[in-house]
């Protein structure tokens, strides 16, 4: 095979030259900057103009005022809205309540998601694993509103929960904060299960076996090997449940009874009260809380291994 | 204690659905032995190792460790430790924490476990890397950390699952020597799984050759190499020239498959006449230079294509002519008759 075979060389056609597409390919291959520009310009334009600028405009609105006589927005730069939101008793109470609900939802979701995700990633066979992924995703195919109203009917005084609990002397919590926490926990559970499942999938089985091999029982293996390695994924899941709960206002409207969350205050100020600057100032609260949460998580070093 | 084998497997069987990975294995491994399980992938050798470690439960049969039945006990209750193929070092722990893990789990005090972990690291010459993370080590270093981690808890039996598979050739040869030394120093039983026949021959006191979930042959390296019991073993352990039944009569003058190792054959221009030496005529088709040896490929007139391994002497340099007529000869005692499967 070391000598060249002229017959075979003739049979293979040489690469075709010329042609617009081919010249374009050659240009992009030899000009990496042009390649980068072509690839990123459209998504960057979308991200910067449509997404970030729109958000910034809303936040800038927080420093404007509303003319109390005409109801028009006036560009008078002021910190009044911020001061109102930070010092007002109503806003403090609602902020604490919202953070409490979001924290409770997050704790419940992580507690539910961990065993489910562990079972999916490490125990179930390939067939059961696929079925469970679909089962977890399935609720996401249904409308948010449908699910919230379904919980409204479940939690009502003559609903299925009351019917199930009354024989053992318990009762449905009715509409209120508890109902809000239950419903939000249900709504965001898939968003917590999936990242934890993906994180546990990346933990090699051999690490769990190695821990058992070295004498580690189930609990020790969980605590010293599985949880530390899954921690970034758990944090990713909590970011979903926590931030989605902070911003929610529909669920609390449907099952929350008279309770209000930050989202409701934003909603009433945009709508009924027609005070967009105050609404924007209120909207800054969950953003600030999420930034604080991310900074806290980052300091634990959990995100270094992502 | 001394009258018990380190490991005794009785009728050990493992089925995965319709597949029988391990098929009624009976095996005794003596204390202090360097025992290898050799076979191609899918031959069941790794499954046997995992059954001994306790990561899998057998479908039937028993596993005994120094006379005690451990078939149904959990991995963490068995006094065996494993060196994993991918090393399985905990990525979030430093090297010393990895090595000390088994001691921490056993409730050994902080000072003592640090002491013992450092000694185990010193044994594999890694004490200066104690505070690094596994990701900052090379493949060979990780391998040695895995060894230190498995031996620091002083197991009675050390299981090694293709531990050298991911290393390059030079490092592998160096680690083979280190493994052998370590085993001699610790005096514990090593059970070594590999698909590399050369590695198994180099390291082992005894080897079990696995094929389709069964032990095809069990013996010392010399027995396996010189007297393979079957066509599979002859072919898998080392390279050999196999003569099918159809050639046995024409070449050897009797029936039944047989094999001859390439280095047992010699070449000459004319047929030799010594007593106990037989020969066959053929044509030289290829000469392959291997450095320490020369391999010649010959088409026998009345037989298959065979290969002959010769030492690389200066005298052989010039005779690499393709197409030459040659006589291949062998001593009768170098012929290995192969038992047909099931016969």
């Amino acid at each position: 095979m070391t000598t060249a075979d002229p017959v075979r060389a003739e049979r293979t056609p040489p690469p075709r030259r010329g042609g617009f597409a081919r010249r374009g390919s050659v240009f992009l291959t030899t000009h990496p900057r042009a390649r980068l520009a072509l690839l990123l310009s459209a998504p960057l334009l979308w991200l910067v103009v449509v997404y970030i600028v729109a958000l910034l405009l809303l936040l800038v609105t927080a420093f404007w005022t509303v003319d109390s006589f005409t109801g028009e927005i006036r560009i008078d730069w002021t910190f009044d809205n911020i001061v109102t939101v930070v010092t007002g008793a109503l806003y403090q109470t609602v902020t604490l309540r919202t953070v409490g609900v979001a924290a409770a939802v997050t704790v419940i979701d992580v507690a539910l998601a961990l065993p489910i995700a562990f079972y999916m990633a490490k125990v179930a066979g390939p067939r059961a694993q696929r079925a469970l992924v679909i089962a977890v995703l399935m609720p996401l195919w249904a409308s948010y509103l449908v699910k919230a109203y379904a919980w409204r009917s479940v939690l009502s005084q003559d609903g299925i929960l009351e019917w199930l609990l009354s024989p053992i002397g318990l009762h449905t919590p009715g509409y209120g904060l508890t109902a809000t926490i239950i419903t939000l926990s249900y709504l965001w559970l898939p968003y917590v299960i999936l990242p934890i499942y993906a994180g546990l999938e990346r933990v090699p089985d051999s690490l769990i076996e190695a821990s058992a091999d070295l004498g580690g029982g189930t609990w020790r293996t969980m605590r010293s090997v599985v949880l530390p390695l899954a921690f970034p994924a758990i944090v990713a899941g909590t970011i979903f449940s926590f931030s989605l709960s902070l911003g929610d206002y529909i669920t609390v409207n449907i099952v929350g009874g008279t309770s209000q969350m930050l989202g409701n205050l934003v909603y009433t100020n945009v709508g009924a009260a027609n005070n967009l600057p105050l609404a924007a100032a209120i909207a800054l609260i969950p953003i600030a809380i999420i930034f604080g949460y991310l900074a806290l998580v980052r300091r634990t070093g959990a995100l270094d291994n992502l | 204690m001394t009258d018990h084998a380190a490991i005794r497997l009785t009728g050990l069987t493992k089925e995965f659905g319709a597949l029988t990975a391990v098929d009624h294995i009976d095996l005794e491994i003596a204390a202090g032995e360097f025992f290898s399980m050799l076979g191609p992938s899918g031959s069941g050798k790794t499954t046997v190792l995992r059954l001994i470690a306790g990561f899998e439960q057998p479908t039937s049969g028993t596993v005994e460790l120094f006379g005690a039945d451990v078939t149904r006990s959990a991995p963490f209750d068995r006094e065996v430790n494993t060196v994993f193929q991918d090393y399985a070092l905990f990525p979030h722990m430093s090297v010393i924490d990895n090595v000390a893990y088994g001691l921490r789990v056993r409730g050994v005090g902080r000072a003592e476990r640090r002491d013992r972990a450092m000694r185990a690291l010193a044994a594999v010459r890694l004490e200066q890397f104690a505070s690094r993370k596994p990701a900052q080590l090379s493949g060979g270093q990780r391998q040695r950390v895995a060894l230190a981690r498995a031996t620091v808890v002083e197991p009675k039996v050390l299981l090694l699952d293709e531990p050298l598979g991911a290393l390059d050739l030079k490092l592998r040869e160096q680690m083979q020597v280190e493994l052998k030394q370590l085993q001699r120093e610790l005096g514990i039983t090593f059970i070594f799984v590999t698909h590399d026949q050369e590695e198994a021959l180099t390291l082992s006191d005894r080897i079990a050759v696995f094929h389709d979930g069964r032990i095809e042959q069990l013996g010392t390296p010399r027995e396996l190499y010189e007297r393979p019991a079957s066509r599979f073993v002859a072919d898998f352990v080392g390279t050999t020239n196999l003569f099918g039944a159809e050639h046995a009569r024409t070449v050897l003058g009797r029936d039944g498959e047989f094999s001859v190792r390439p280095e047992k054959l010699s070449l000459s221009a004319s047929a030799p006449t010594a007593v106990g030496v037989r020969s066959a005529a053929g044509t030289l088709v290829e000469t392959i230079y291997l450095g320490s040896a020369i391999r010649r490929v010959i088409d026998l007139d009345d037989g298959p294509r065979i290969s002959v391994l010769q030492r690389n002497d200066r005298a052989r340099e010039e005779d690499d002519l393709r197409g030459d007529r040659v006589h291949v000869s062998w001593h009768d005692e170098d012929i290995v008759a192969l038992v047909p499967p099931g016969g």
Side-chain angles (χ1 to χ4, degrees), chain A residues 202-260:
Chain A
R202 283 200 302 270
V203 175
D205 291 348
S206 66
L207 292 186
I208 296 168
E209 286 176 354
S211 175
D213 188 69
L214 290 164
T218 311
W219 174 238
R220 160 67 74 173
T221 301
M222 282 292 161
R223 201 160 44 103
S224 300
V225 178
V226 177
L227 282 180
L229 290 173
F231 191 60
I234 296 171
V235 167
T238 63
I239 289 170
F240 280 115
S241 62
F242 191 69
S243 60
L244 288 171
S245 302
L246 276 187
D248 185 83
Y249 72 100
I250 300 175
T251 297
V252 71
N253 259 345
I254 295 172
V255 299
T258 55
S259 328
Q260 285 205 312

Side-chain angles (χ1 to χ4, degrees), chain A:
Chain A
M1 288 316 269
T2 49
T3 52
D5 187 343
V7 181
R8 177 148 183 87
E10 262 174 24
R11 242 184 266 134
T12 313
R16 200 166 53 87
R17 305 207 184 282
F20 180 74
R22 192 178 172 83
R23 266 181 284 135
S25 299
V26 169
F27 178 80
L28 286 178
T29 310
T30 51
H31 295 77
R33 275 170 193 285
R35 198 164 64 212
L36 197 68
L38 202 68
L39 198 64
L40 289 185
S41 47
L44 271 183
L45 197 76
W46 172 265
L47 197 68
V48 171
V49 175
V50 179
Y51 196 74
I52 294 180
V53 169
L55 195 63
L56 283 178
L57 275 179
L58 173 77
L59 298 182
V60 165
T61 316
F63 299 95
W64 296 346
T65 48
V66 170
D67 189 314
S68 52
F69 185 61
T70 61
E72 305 256 313
I73 293 173
R74 279 214 322 265
I75 305 181
D76 284 347
W77 294 95
T78 171
F79 279 100
D80 285 356
N81 295 319
I82 307 292
V83 170
T84 309
V85 160
V86 171
T87 56
L90 167 70
Y91 302 108
Q92 287 176 347
T93 310
V94 174
T95 300
L96 281 180
R97 181 188 299 146
T98 307
V99 170
V101 166
V105 168
T106 300
V107 168
I108 291 170
D109 273 351
V110 169
L112 290 175
L114 265 177
I116 296 174
F118 187 82
Y119 181 81
M120 284 165 70
K122 292 293 166 211
V123 183
R127 191 188 293 256
Q129 197 174 354
R130 270 197 301 274
L132 279 168
V133 169
I134 293 170
V136 167
L137 285 173
M138 200 129 64
L140 299 181
W141 302 347
S143 156
Y144 173 104
L145 278 177
V146 169
K147 289 181 285 187
Y149 274 109
W151 274 100
R152 186 184 166 87
S153 112
V154 166
L155 293 161
S156 70
Q157 289 305 333
D158 49 2
I160 188 164
L161 198 63
E162 180 68 27
W163 179 74
L164 279 173
L165 291 180
S166 53
I168 53 168
L170 293 173
H171 296 283
T172 175
Y175 303 137
L177 275 188
T178 311
T180 309
I181 291 170
I182 291 172
T183 308
L184 287 176
S185 300
Y186 166 80
L187 286 172
W188 311 142
L189 188 58
Y191 299 99
V192 183
I193 291 179
L194 288 178
I196 297 179
Y197 162 67
L200 287 172
E201 273 272 80
R202 283 200 302 270
V203 175
D205 291 348
S206 66
L207 292 186
I208 296 168
E209 286 176 354
S211 175
D213 188 69
L214 290 164
T218 311
W219 174 238
R220 160 67 74 173
T221 301
M222 282 292 161
R223 201 160 44 103
S224 300
V225 178
V226 177
L227 282 180
L229 290 173
F231 191 60
I234 296 171
V235 167
T238 63
I239 289 170
F240 280 115
S241 62
F242 191 69
S243 60
L244 288 171
S245 302
L246 276 187
D248 185 83
Y249 72 100
I250 300 175
T251 297
V252 71
N253 259 345
I254 295 172
V255 299
T258 55
S259 328
Q260 285 205 312
M261 284 172 54
L262 283 173
N264 305 101
L265 294 185
V266 174
Y267 181 74
T268 43
N269 275 301
V270 171
N274 191 27
N275 192 341
L276 192 62
L278 187 62
I282 299 168
L284 278 175
I285 299 174
I287 294 178
I289 292 171
I290 281 291
F291 269 101
Y293 181 63
L294 287 175
L296 196 77
V297 164
R298 209 173 144 232
R299 281 187 57 177
T300 66
L303 305 182
D304 299 351
N305 299 325
L306 273 182

Side-chain angles (χ1 to χ4, degrees), chain A residues 206 209 211-215 224, chain B residues 50 81-82 86 92 101 105-106:
Chain A
S206 66
E209 286 176 354
S211 175
D213 188 69
L214 290 164
S224 300
Chain B
R50 294 174 59 81
N81 283 100
T82 309
D86 62 356
H92 59 297
Y101 185 81
V105 167
R106 283 165 176 74

Side-chain angles (χ1 to χ4, degrees), chain B residues 234-303:
Chain B
D235 199 29
F236 193 77
V237 180
T239 49
T240 198
N241 296 304
L242 287 171
F243 291 80
E246 70 276 21
H247 295 122
R249 182 143 290 281
T250 50
V251 177
L252 197 61
R254 67 166 198 237
D255 290 325
E257 277 190 314
F258 69 97
S259 82
V260 200
R261 296 286 181 193
E263 70 276 11
K264 307 282 189 194
L265 295 170
S266 51
L267 290 178
S268 53
S270 55
T273 53
V275 178
V277 175
R278 280 172 190 277
S279 74
T283 309
L284 183 68
V285 290
E286 199 67 74
T287 295
I288 296 156
Y289 179 74
L290 301 173
S292 61
I294 292 172
R295 194 156 78 87
R296 297 186 195 278
V297 181
I298 289 137
D299 272 340
L300 290 182
D301 295 347
D302 300 315

Side-chain angles (χ1 to χ4, degrees), chain B residues 70-141:
Chain B
V70 296
T71 313
R72 297 291 156 195
S73 54
F76 44 83
D77 288 332
R78 300 187 186 196
E79 282 180 273
V80 299
N81 283 100
T82 309
V83 176
F84 291 83
Q85 190 171 10
D86 62 356
Y87 316 142
L89 300 179
F90 305 124
H92 59 297
M93 293 183 198
S94 65
V95 165
I96 184 129
D97 286 345
N98 261 286
V99 176
Y101 185 81
L103 301 171
R104 196 173 114 208
V105 167
R106 283 165 176 74
V108 176
R110 182 179 290 269
E112 191 196 338
R113 70 180 188 238
R114 205 191 141 72
D115 221 50
R116 283 171 67 180
M118 277 315 270
R119 254 183 288 142
L121 277 176
V124 294
R125 302 192 315 278
L126 280 177
E127 59 271 57
Q128 71 272 33
F129 296 103
S131 55
R132 295 224 191 150
K133 288 280 174 72
Q136 296 167 299
L137 301 180
S138 72
Q141 289 166 339

